[in-house]
Amino acid sequence: MNRKAKTLLVLALVVVVGMAFRVSWNALRDIAKAIGADDTAATLYPFVVDGLMALALVAGRSCCWRRHCRSGRSTSAPTSSPRSSTTDPPSTRTCRNRLRSM
């Protein structure tokens, strides 16, 4: 994929994420107001919920990325078998298997 296509893909992703955040923010703000939160708390509540989800996503991704980086494999590298067992050494397990075993 060339640089122009990657840039366009990233811009499209940013637009979609922005729209999703806006919808989520409106819904969570309305819920906070419905349960009696004041205006400031209702405005900040969506940032807390969406921020925690984003933080969990980045933390999970970063955990797997570091492990693959140390083992010299890319995050999309296939394993030796479609289903690696938990007896495999950590360097051959996928992120999915590692997170499942936690």
Side-chain angles (χ1 to χ4, degrees):
M1 188 181 291
N2 63 20
R3 186 175 182 90
K4 186 175 180 179
K6 286 180 184 178
T7 302
L8 185 61
L9 186 64
V10 168
L11 288 175
L13 181 63
V14 168
V15 168
V16 169
V17 167
M19 290 187 304
F21 176 76
R22 178 67 177 161
V23 169
S24 172
W25 188 79
N26 282 337
L28 289 171
R29 187 187 60 185
D30 291 345
I31 289 170
K33 283 185 177 182
I35 62 172
D38 62 2
D39 286 339
T40 304
T43 301
L44 294 176
Y45 180 69
F47 290 111
V48 172
V49 172
D50 288 341
L52 286 174
M53 285 191 294
L55 183 62
L57 177 68
V58 169
R61 181 67 183 151
S62 137
C63 173
C64 289
W65 181 80
R66 279 194 304 247
R67 183 179 60 80
H68 281 289
C69 185
R70 281 191 214 126
S71 67
R73 294 173 43 191
S74 70
T75 56
S76 61
T79 58
S80 57
S81 66
R83 294 179 182 249
S84 62
S85 68
T86 55
T87 58
D88 291 340
S91 62
T92 61
R93 282 193 242 155
T94 62
C95 288
R96 183 180 68 236
N97 290 338
R98 182 167 186 242
L99 291 174
R100 190 183 312 148
S101 67
M102 287 182 172

